[in-house]
Coordinates of all heavy atoms in Angstrom, one line a residue:
S1461 N 11.0 6.8 20.2 CA 11.9 6.3 19.2 C 12.3 7.5 18.3 O 11.5 8.3 17.9 CB 11.2 5.3 18.3 OG 10.9 4.2 19.0
I1462 N 13.6 7.5 18.0 CA 14.1 8.6 17.1 C 14.5 8.0 15.8 O 15.6 7.3 15.7 CB 15.3 9.3 17.8 CG1 15.0 9.8 19.2 CG2 15.8 10.5 16.9 CD1 16.1 10.2 20.0
D1463 N 13.7 8.1 14.9 CA 13.9 7.5 13.5 C 13.8 8.6 12.5 O 13.6 9.8 12.8 CB 13.0 6.3 13.3 CG 11.6 6.7 13.4 OD1 11.2 7.9 13.4 OD2 10.7 5.7 13.6
S1464 N 13.8 8.2 11.2 CA 13.7 9.2 10.1 C 12.3 9.9 10.1 O 12.3 11.0 9.6 CB 13.9 8.5 8.8 OG 12.9 7.5 8.5
I1465 N 11.3 9.3 10.7 CA 10.0 10.0 10.7 C 10.0 11.0 11.9 O 9.5 12.1 11.6 CB 8.9 9.0 11.0 CG1 8.8 8.1 9.7 CG2 7.6 9.6 11.2 CD1 7.8 6.9 9.8
S1466 N 10.5 10.7 13.0 CA 10.4 11.6 14.2 C 11.5 12.5 14.3 O 11.5 13.5 15.0 CB 10.3 10.8 15.5 OG 11.4 10.0 15.7
A1467 N 12.6 12.3 13.6 CA 13.9 13.1 13.7 C 13.7 14.6 13.5 O 14.2 15.4 14.2 CB 15.0 12.6 12.8
P1468 N 12.9 15.0 12.4 CA 12.8 16.4 12.2 C 12.1 17.2 13.4 O 12.6 18.2 13.8 CB 11.9 16.6 10.9 CG 12.2 15.3 10.2 CD 12.3 14.3 11.3
G1469 N 11.1 16.6 13.9 CA 10.4 17.2 15.1 C 11.3 17.1 16.3 O 11.3 18.0 17.1
F1470 N 12.0 16.0 16.5 CA 12.9 15.8 17.6 C 14.0 16.9 17.6 O 14.3 17.6 18.6 CB 13.5 14.5 17.6 CG 14.6 14.3 18.6 CD1 14.3 14.3 20.0 CD2 15.9 14.0 18.3 CE1 15.3 14.1 21.0 CE2 16.9 13.8 19.2 CZ 16.6 13.8 20.6
Q1471 N 14.6 17.1 16.4 CA 15.6 18.2 16.3 C 15.1 19.5 16.6 O 15.7 20.3 17.3 CB 16.3 18.1 14.8 CG 17.4 19.1 14.7 CD 18.1 18.9 13.4 OE1 17.8 18.0 12.6 NE2 19.1 19.8 13.1
S1472 N 13.9 19.8 16.0 CA 13.3 21.1 16.3 C 13.0 21.4 17.8 O 13.3 22.4 18.3 CB 12.0 21.2 15.5 OG 11.3 22.4 15.8
A1473 N 12.5 20.3 18.4 CA 12.2 20.4 19.8 C 13.5 20.6 20.7 O 13.5 21.4 21.6 CB 11.4 19.2 20.3
L1474 N 14.5 19.9 20.3 CA 15.8 20.0 21.0 C 16.4 21.5 20.8 O 16.8 22.1 21.8 CB 16.9 19.1 20.5 CG 17.0 17.7 21.1 CD1 18.0 16.9 20.4 CD2 17.3 17.9 22.6
E1475 N 16.4 21.9 19.6 CA 17.0 23.3 19.3 C 16.2 24.4 20.0 O 16.7 25.4 20.4 CB 17.0 23.5 17.8 CG 18.1 22.7 17.2 CD 18.1 22.7 15.6 OE1 17.2 23.3 15.1 OE2 19.1 22.1 15.0
S1476 N 14.9 24.2 20.1 CA 14.1 25.2 20.8 C 14.3 25.3 22.3 O 14.0 26.3 22.9 CB 12.6 25.0 20.5 OG 12.1 23.9 21.2
G1477 N 14.8 24.2 22.9 CA 15.0 24.2 24.3 C 16.4 24.6 24.7 O 16.7 24.7 25.9
I1478 N 17.3 24.7 23.7 CA 18.7 25.1 24.1 C 18.9 26.6 23.9 O 18.7 27.2 22.9 CB 19.7 24.4 23.2 CG1 19.5 22.9 23.3 CG2 21.1 24.8 23.5 CD1 20.3 22.0 22.3
D1479 N 19.3 27.3 25.0 CA 19.5 28.7 25.0 C 20.9 28.9 24.5 O 21.9 28.1 24.8 CB 19.4 29.2 26.5 CG 19.5 30.7 26.6 OD1 18.7 31.4 26.0 OD2 20.5 31.1 27.2
P1480 N 21.2 30.0 23.7 CA 22.5 30.2 23.2 C 23.6 30.4 24.3 O 24.7 30.1 24.1 CB 22.4 31.6 22.5 CG 20.9 31.7 22.1 CD 20.2 30.9 23.2
G1481 N 23.1 30.7 25.5 CA 24.1 30.9 26.6 C 24.4 29.6 27.4 O 25.2 29.6 28.2
D1482 N 23.7 28.5 27.0 CA 24.0 27.2 27.7 C 25.4 26.8 27.3 O 25.8 26.7 26.1 CB 23.0 26.2 27.2 CG 21.6 26.4 27.9 OD1 21.6 26.7 29.0 OD2 20.6 26.2 27.2
Q1483 N 26.2 26.4 28.3 CA 27.5 25.9 28.1 C 27.7 24.5 28.1 O 28.8 24.0 27.8 CB 28.4 26.6 29.2 CG 28.5 28.1 29.1 CD 29.1 28.6 27.8 OE1 30.2 28.2 27.4 NE2 28.4 29.5 27.1
A1484 N 26.7 23.7 28.6 CA 26.8 22.3 28.7 C 25.5 21.6 28.5 O 24.5 22.1 29.1 CB 27.4 21.9 30.1
L1485 N 25.5 20.6 27.8 CA 24.2 19.8 27.5 C 24.5 18.3 27.6 O 25.4 17.8 27.0 CB 23.7 20.1 26.1 CG 22.5 19.3 25.6 CD1 21.3 19.6 26.4 CD2 22.2 19.5 24.1
I1486 N 23.6 17.7 28.3 CA 23.6 16.2 28.4 C 22.3 15.7 27.8 O 21.3 16.2 28.2 CB 23.8 15.7 29.9 CG1 25.1 16.2 30.5 CG2 23.6 14.2 29.9 CD1 25.2 15.9 31.9
L1487 N 22.4 14.7 26.9 CA 21.2 14.1 26.4 C 21.1 12.7 27.2 O 22.0 11.9 27.0 CB 21.3 13.8 24.9 CG 21.0 14.9 24.0 CD1 21.1 14.6 22.6 CD2 19.6 15.5 24.2
D1488 N 20.2 12.6 28.1 CA 19.9 11.4 28.8 C 19.0 10.5 28.0 O 17.8 10.8 27.9 CB 19.4 11.7 30.2 CG 19.2 10.5 31.1 OD1 19.0 9.4 30.5 OD2 19.2 10.7 32.3
A1489 N 19.6 9.5 27.5 CA 18.8 8.6 26.5 C 18.2 7.4 27.2 O 17.9 6.4 26.5 CB 19.7 8.2 25.3
E1490 N 18.0 7.4 28.5 CA 17.5 6.2 29.2 C 16.1 5.8 28.7 O 15.8 4.6 28.6 CB 17.4 6.5 30.7 CG 16.9 5.4 31.5 CD 17.0 5.6 33.0 OE1 17.0 6.8 33.4 OE2 16.9 4.7 33.8
Q1491 N 15.3 6.7 28.3 CA 13.9 6.4 27.8 C 13.8 6.3 26.3 O 12.7 6.3 25.8 CB 12.9 7.4 28.4 CG 12.8 7.5 29.9 CD 12.4 6.1 30.4 OE1 11.4 5.5 29.9 NE2 13.0 5.7 31.4
V1492 N 15.0 6.4 25.6 CA 14.9 6.2 24.1 C 14.9 4.8 23.8 O 15.9 4.0 24.2 CB 16.1 7.0 23.5 CG1 16.2 6.7 22.0 CG2 16.1 8.5 23.8
S1493 N 13.9 4.3 23.1 CA 13.8 2.9 22.8 C 14.5 2.5 21.5 O 14.8 1.3 21.4 CB 12.3 2.5 22.8 OG 11.6 3.3 21.8
F1494 N 14.6 3.4 20.6 CA 15.3 3.1 19.3 C 15.9 4.4 18.8 O 15.3 5.5 19.0 CB 14.2 2.6 18.3 CG 14.8 2.5 16.9 CD1 15.5 1.4 16.6 CD2 14.6 3.5 16.0 CE1 16.0 1.2 15.3 CE2 15.1 3.4 14.7 CZ 15.8 2.2 14.3
I1495 N 17.0 4.3 18.2 CA 17.6 5.4 17.5 C 18.1 4.9 16.1 O 18.9 4.0 16.0 CB 18.7 6.1 18.3 CG1 19.2 7.4 17.6 CG2 19.9 5.2 18.6 CD1 20.0 8.3 18.5
G1496 N 17.7 5.6 15.1 CA 18.1 5.3 13.7 C 19.2 6.3 13.3 O 19.7 7.1 14.1
S1497 N 19.6 6.2 12.1 CA 20.8 7.0 11.6 C 20.4 8.5 11.6 O 21.3 9.3 11.9 CB 21.1 6.6 10.2 OG 20.0 6.8 9.3

Side-chain angles (χ1 to χ4, degrees):
S1461 293
I1462 307 168
D1463 56 19
S1464 60
I1465 294 172
S1466 61
F1470 174 65
Q1471 182 171 357
S1472 175
L1474 269 178
E1475 289 173 352
S1476 72
I1478 301 169
D1479 185 63
D1482 286 320
Q1483 296 299 307
L1485 172 65
I1486 296 170
L1487 281 179
D1488 183 332
E1490 183 175 16
Q1491 298 298 315
V1492 175
S1493 56
F1494 172 83
I1495 185 164
S1497 60

